[in-house]
Amino acid sequence: MEQAVQKQRIFSGIQPTGNLTLGNYIGALRNFGILQDEYDCLYSIVDLHALTVRQNPAELRKACLRTMSIFLASGLDPEKNIIYFQSQVPAHAELSWVLNCYTYMGEMSRMTQFKDKSAKHADNINCGLFTYPVLMAADILLYQTNLVPIGADQKQHLEIARDIAERFNGVYGDVFVVPDGYFPKVGARVMSLQEPTRKMSKSDPEDTYIAILDKPDIIRKKLRRAVTDSENSVVFDPENKPGVANLMSILSALSGMSMEEITAQYDGQGYGKFKDAVADSVIATLEPIQKRYEEISADKAYLQQVMDSGSERASAIAHKTMLKVRKKLGIAPWKL
Ligand code: AMP
Ligand code: TRP
């Protein structure tokens, strides 16, 4: 029987590169777990996106499995959510090609992530890096997604996905749902511990981020060394005190305390005590995840089953959209 009320659909993707960070957890993963009961969710490990940078095959395979295990350890239920590898559903690449033909060079050239990444990898500015946002649009539009939970850094890519969907719908009628972003209230942009005006990123040096799998003593050490300022005041002022503001945001996101409450409790006592409180809350959050991670990552049969069932369920939805797209475009299959 058809369900009377269709749940809204959510799609998000994470690249299987490097170590997932506290930024990924607060900005993305944690919210995924909160959404799983109310929405129909797909979470993809976007291994095709990872290919814009040269990867070592064995390392990539490991990183893919590690990412999936972290998804599961963070509380994502593979029955309620579809968890799968992007490359296992060929429709992503297929729709991406189609959408490339509805996207302009000028739009892609304006993407800040492209500009940043091409500056960083000046020796390998490949076409994949340039059209990365089109593949991301394909990921989202393929599943007729209503909401896309992402950190603030992905806002521009989501805007492009919306523009492409609207453009395509303008020509062919209502083919795609036009997606909205879903941003966390606190923690949408967790910053680097060493350069708190840049986002915490898993592709930066180790001491700038906290990995979800970092052990407690490492977490404490990294936080003690986090850059602050010489004022010794625990007050939320991102502009003038970006380091302290970042640590306050982390503590607020994990403990639920407001900025005022944090100031009331920790101001005027030196940064050491405040940093230890941040470390305590990060450790309390990550330790149980790490414990589950150890169990899950050892269970290969279980991971295989999650992987197979995820790609099968995702393919079925993607297939429907592709049939619609093919029909609109006038490409096969058609009836003679
Ligand atoms: P990425 O690590 O770039 O594959 O990002 C995966 C997801 O985590 C995306 O939704 C990002 O917006 C989110 N994310 C990545 N880094 C951060 C950060 N420092 N703060 C908040 N969210 C982040
Ligand atoms: N580009 C995203 C990032 O780097 C990852 C991503 C790929 C994604 N496809 C997506 C996020 C679709 C949301 C929806 O963070």
Side-chain angles (χ1 to χ4, degrees):
M1 232 176 51
E2 284 279 317
Q3 259 184 313
V5 186
Q6 187 90 40
K7 282 184 181 172
Q8 295 251 83
R9 181 161 291 147
I10 281 195
F11 182 98
S12 197
I14 290 197
Q15 292 202 54
T17 44
N19 297 312
L20 289 188
T21 70
L22 185 66
N24 293 124
Y25 179 73
I26 295 176
L29 277 172
R30 183 172 75 137
N31 305 306
F32 297 176
I34 298 170
L35 299 166
Q36 64 188 356
D37 291 315
E38 274 174 63
Y39 297 90
D40 181 13
C41 306
L42 290 107
Y43 297 115
S44 186
I45 295 152
V46 293
D47 46 2
L48 295 176
H49 276 111
L51 301 181
T52 57
V53 176
R54 290 278 174 277
Q55 303 288 345
N56 169 310
E59 288 298 321
L60 181 58
R61 203 174 299 134
K62 261 196 237 155
C64 284
L65 278 180
R66 188 168 63 227
T67 307
M68 180 171 268
S69 302
I70 291 179
F71 275 30
L72 298 167
S74 310
L76 285 190
D77 178 343
E79 303 281 328
K80 291 186 188 160
N81 307 278
I82 300 181
I83 302 173
Y84 74 103
F85 294 117
Q86 182 190 33
S87 64
Q88 287 203 289
V89 180
H92 287 256
E94 194 183 337
L95 183 60
S96 173
W97 171 256
V98 170
L99 299 181
N100 262 314
C101 301
Y102 294 81
T103 307
Y104 297 103
M105 303 282 288
E107 289 175 306
M108 294 294 99
S109 320
R110 283 194 293 275
M111 295 288 111
T112 27
Q113 189 170 305
F114 172 70
K115 289 191 238 172
D116 289 352
K117 291 206 171 163
S118 46
K120 230 183 196 168
H121 305 282
D123 55 336
N124 183 17
I125 307 177
N126 58 67
C127 294
L129 190 64
F130 191 63
T131 61
Y132 178 111
V134 182
L135 179 57
M136 177 161 162
D139 297 343
I140 298 167
L141 302 183
L142 200 47
Y143 298 97
Q144 307 294 354
T145 302
N146 304 99
L147 287 177
V148 186
I150 38 176
D153 63 313
Q154 296 300 313
K155 214 171 191 167
Q156 201 183 28
H157 289 163
L158 181 70
E159 278 307 312
I160 276 288
R162 290 171 54 89
D163 291 347
I164 297 173
E166 279 166 359
R167 186 172 302 150
F168 200 92
N169 288 349
V171 181
Y172 300 104
D174 281 341
V175 178
F176 297 121
V177 169
V178 180
D180 286 309
Y182 184 102
F183 301 97
K185 286 190 189 67
V186 245
R189 206 170 150 77
V190 178
M191 310 308 272
S192 157
L193 299 179
Q194 293 301 319
E195 267 182 87
T197 49
R198 296 175 40 151
K199 84 159 188 172
M200 180 181 283
S201 166
K202 51 181 146 74
S203 46
D204 284 343
E206 277 262 348
D207 61 337
T208 64
Y209 65 80
I210 290 170
I212 294 179
L213 298 180
D214 273 346
K215 291 290 164 228
D217 53 326
I218 302 282
I219 295 174
R220 204 170 287 282
K221 208 186 287 166
K222 285 182 176 175
L223 282 167
R224 282 202 180 130
R225 289 189 189 150
V227 166
T228 46
D229 49 56
S230 54
E231 287 175 8
N232 254 329
S233 66
V234 181
V235 175
F236 190 68
D237 180 358
E239 193 126 321
N240 299 308
K241 297 166 64 65
V244 171
N246 186 37
L247 297 179
M248 289 180 79
S249 299
I250 293 173
L251 182 56
S252 170
L254 298 182
S255 69
M257 287 168 85
S258 68
M259 297 305 173
E260 293 74 27
E261 283 167 337
I262 295 174
T263 298
Q265 191 153 342
Y266 298 104
D267 193 27
Q269 306 176 45
Y271 285 148
K273 190 163 174 222
F274 167 57
K275 284 177 164 178
D276 266 342
V278 180
D280 289 342
S281 81
V282 173
I283 292 166
T285 305
L286 297 184
E287 250 187 339
I289 297 177
Q290 296 173 358
K291 214 163 145 247
R292 282 197 296 273
Y293 172 84
E294 293 305 329
E295 292 160 16
I296 291 167
S297 59
D299 192 346
K300 298 286 182 275
Y302 174 63
L303 287 172
Q304 183 74 53
Q305 184 242 316
V306 171
M307 213 172 126
D308 293 346
S309 119
S311 56
E312 198 174 300
R313 287 153 69 203
S315 295
I317 305 172
H319 181 68
K320 272 199 202 152
T321 302
M322 278 321 294
L323 277 182
K324 201 163 156 191
V325 168
R326 285 166 169 275
K327 191 167 166 201
K328 295 284 185 185
L329 291 170
I331 58 175
W334 63 69
K335 288 252 166 18
L336 290 179

